[in-house]
């Protein structure tokens, strides 16, 4: 048996650092005591979720290698990134709340005098390797070092497009704190973050940092970075409450009826950041379509209040749909619901409680148009809000068809 242990230890030594580390010791004991951990794995709300593509490999290959659709999965031109500068972020938000979407699920939230950075990914690829894996469709809006001090970094789960080794190592050299789901702290300690800077939470647990209350809330997803998916690290959505504002970040999740409960306990929110990209009929349990994302936003709000910021799209090609479909789908879903959706370019700061916010389909100028053409031009938020009732009476997709390749989920 000692020979097998030596072989196992040798294989672990050869693993990329990006694989992180498995929980052990008291951390593992705490995981095993969690009410959400059963039969050796964390359990999803709403019952088991398929964490591997359904259907046959051949069926998936036919979709993935389709010659007509593949060109639509990447921009046809240069994505118009807003060149975020210190000047953009130097003055405090007039309303006390400002969000800056950095691409994918990375968002800087300035809330009631504090700065929260969600799922920061500044790496070129979301992969354990620098030479392979999904590559950025656009550059980061500004260097990480130019972002300025951050009070807390919030991680939703340990997948590569949410927990990025180069980014965490850079942040390890600062004095920021980290709020992470149960078990994820093992990765961060392995990469140089000291244990006293970690706030590691199970679902429904909360921590206070600098006047903010951060609560880990349920999500329907899974975990894993290495060759084995042990399901020993938790995934979460997050609620951040300040003195005057409340925001919600979904992380990655399939739709489930728990959104309404989260909203009842912690909402309504001034803004929700909702995953609406990288969905597929091959994995419907773990990622939401834009329609499902809007439904989650409405559940969380108990109505159409607040602003929804779509996240998890336009930065990495992680599914077979066109890269523009999440944006187009969000436009349609917001219009149909009479809700407000912010659509900033990557790096474009906005204040969710202001009268106006970015709501134009910037991606259309750098994308191949769908066969049916783009939807009618989108009206500015202030006018669209006033015209919602008359627009709804005329139909949600006046003058056009639904964009292609958006499954019903």
């Amino acid at each position: 048996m000692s020979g097998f242990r030596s072989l196992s230890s040798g294989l672990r030594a050869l693993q990329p650092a990006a694989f992180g580390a498995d929980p052990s010791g008291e951390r593992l004991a705490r995981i095993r005591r969690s009410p959400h951990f059963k039969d050796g794995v964390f359990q999803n709300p709403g019952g088991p979720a398929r964490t591997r593509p359904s259907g046959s490999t051949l069926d998936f290959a036919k979709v993935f290698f389709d010659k007509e659709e593949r060109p639509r999965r990447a921009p046809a031109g240069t994505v118009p990134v807003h060149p975020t500068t210190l000047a953009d972020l130097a003055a405090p938000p007039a309303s006390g709340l400002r969000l800056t979407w950095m691409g994918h699920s990375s968002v800087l939230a300035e809330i009631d005098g504090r700065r929260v950075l969600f799922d920061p990914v500044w790496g070129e690829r979301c992969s354990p390797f620098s030479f392979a894996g999904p590559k950025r469709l656009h550059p980061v809006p500004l260097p990480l070092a130019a972002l300025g001090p951050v009070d807390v970094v919030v991680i939703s789960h340990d997948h590569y497009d949410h927990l990025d080794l180069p980014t965490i190592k850079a942040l390890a050299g600062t004095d920021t704190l980290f709020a992470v789901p149960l078990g994820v702290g093992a990765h961060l300690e392995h990469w140089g973050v000291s244990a006293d800077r970690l706030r590691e939470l199970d679902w429904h647990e909360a921590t206070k940092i600098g006047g903010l209350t951060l609560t880990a809330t349920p999500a329907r997803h899974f975990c894993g970075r290495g060759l084995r998916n042990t399901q020993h690290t938790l995934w979460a959505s997050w609620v951040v409450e300040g003195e005057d504002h409340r925001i919600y970040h979904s992380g990655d999740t399939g739709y489930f009826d728990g959104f309404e409960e989260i909203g009842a306990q912690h909402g309504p929110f001034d803004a929700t950041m909702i995953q609406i990209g990288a969905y597929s009929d091959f994995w419907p349990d773990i990622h939401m379509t834009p329609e499902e994302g809007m439904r989650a936003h409405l559940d969380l709000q108990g109505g159409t209040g607040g602003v929804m910021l779509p996240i998890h799209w336009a930065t990495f090609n992680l599914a077979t749909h066109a890269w523009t479909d999440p944006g187009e789908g969000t436009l349609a879903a917001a219009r149909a619901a009479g809700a407000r959706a912010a659509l900033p370019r990557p790096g474009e700061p906005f204040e969710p409680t202001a009268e106006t916010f970015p709501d134009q389909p910037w991606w259309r100028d750098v994308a191949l148009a769908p066969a049916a053409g783009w939807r009618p031009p989108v009206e500015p938020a202030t006018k669209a809000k006033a015209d919602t009732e008359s627009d709804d009476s005329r139909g949600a997709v006046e003058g056009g068809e639904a964009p292609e390749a958006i499954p019903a989920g």
Side-chain angles (χ1 to χ4, degrees):
M1 292 299 293
S2 60
F4 286 108
R5 285 196 295 270
S6 298
L7 177 60
S8 177
S9 300
L11 290 175
R12 284 197 298 271
L14 293 174
Q15 290 181 356
F19 279 9
D22 291 332
S24 60
E26 176 53 32
R27 178 177 280 118
L28 183 57
R30 187 181 168 202
I31 288 170
R32 289 170 173 162
R33 293 194 300 266
S34 168
H36 311 110
F37 191 80
K38 183 180 178 182
D39 298 329
V41 296
F42 280 110
Q43 304 292 316
N44 264 305
R50 287 168 290 177
T51 60
R52 292 291 182 266
S54 60
S56 70
T57 303
L58 179 60
D59 289 339
F60 182 79
K62 286 180 180 178
V63 175
F64 186 81
F65 292 107
D66 184 277
K67 293 182 179 180
E68 293 186 4
E69 291 303 320
R70 286 193 74 185
R72 302 185 187 280
R73 293 182 204 142
T78 301
V79 172
V81 174
H82 179 84
T84 307
T85 64
L86 288 176
D88 291 316
L89 305 175
S95 65
L97 176 64
R98 180 166 58 207
L99 300 181
T100 306
W101 178 53
M102 299 295 178
H104 203 57
S105 296
S106 303
V107 182
L108 174 66
E110 298 166 275
I111 174 171
D112 298 338
R114 300 294 178 178
R115 306 177 94 224
V116 182
L117 185 59
F118 292 95
D119 283 357
V121 175
W122 258 251
E124 188 65 17
R125 297 182 186 271
C126 52
S127 165
F129 308 107
S130 61
F131 55 86
K135 192 176 181 180
R136 284 184 165 274
L137 302 180
H138 65 80
V140 292
L142 82 169
L144 186 63
L147 192 62
V150 173
D151 293 285
V152 55
V153 173
V154 176
I155 303 297
S156 64
H157 63 295
D158 70 358
H159 285 159
Y160 292 102
D161 57 322
H162 298 261
L163 181 61
D164 179 54
L165 170 60
T167 305
I168 297 300
K169 281 202 166 186
L171 291 167
T174 70
D175 58 0
T176 188
L177 301 178
F178 292 82
V180 302
L182 189 56
V184 174
H187 297 310
L188 273 65
E189 284 194 54
H190 185 63
W191 298 334
V193 178
S194 60
D196 62 343
R197 292 168 58 192
L198 296 175
R199 306 293 182 268
E200 201 162 343
L201 306 182
D202 201 347
W203 291 339
H204 308 299
E205 292 182 342
T207 186
K208 290 186 178 293
I209 296 176
L212 300 178
T213 300
L214 294 87
T215 305
T217 46
R220 187 167 166 81
H221 200 57
F222 68 112
C223 66
R225 294 179 71 86
L227 299 177
R228 296 180 300 116
N229 184 4
T230 61
Q231 298 293 77
H232 279 179
T233 64
L234 189 59
W235 48 96
S237 56
W238 287 88
V239 171
V240 178
E241 301 175 60
E243 184 177 348
D244 299 313
H245 296 93
R246 299 180 182 187
I247 56 177
Y248 171 87
H249 189 284
S250 72
D252 278 3
T253 181
Y255 180 81
F256 68 112
D257 58 12
F259 293 114
E260 189 172 351
E261 181 179 345
I262 293 170
Q265 291 180 351
H266 302 283
F269 302 98
D270 297 287
T272 66
M273 296 157 272
I274 305 290
Q275 172 265 306
I276 48 81
Y279 51 86
S280 174
D281 284 337
F282 289 99
W283 49 83
D285 295 340
I286 55 172
H287 281 166
M288 292 190 291
T289 66
E291 294 84 0
E292 290 171 324
M294 179 54 67
R295 185 180 172 191
H297 168 77
L298 299 175
D299 287 351
L300 289 159
Q301 298 296 76
T304 57
V307 172
M308 171 187 166
L309 171 64
I311 59 173
H312 202 261
W313 76 290
T315 303
F316 298 106
N317 184 352
L318 302 177
T320 59
H321 59 66
W323 77 279
T324 59
D325 280 357
E328 289 292 317
T330 299
L331 277 176
R335 189 179 180 94
R340 298 191 298 162
L343 299 165
R345 296 170 294 165
E348 183 178 4
F350 74 97
E351 300 192 27
T353 59
E355 290 187 5
T356 60
F357 52 85
D359 64 351
Q360 296 301 299
W362 52 265
W363 55 87
R364 293 181 180 178
D365 292 335
V366 293
L368 297 175
W374 299 114
R375 298 176 185 276
V378 179
E379 297 172 335
T382 49
K383 187 174 189 302
K385 184 178 179 182
D387 291 347
T388 295
E389 292 184 1
S390 60
D391 284 350
D392 287 348
S393 67
R394 292 197 300 268
V397 290
E398 181 181 73
E401 299 178 5
E404 297 178 340
I406 298 183

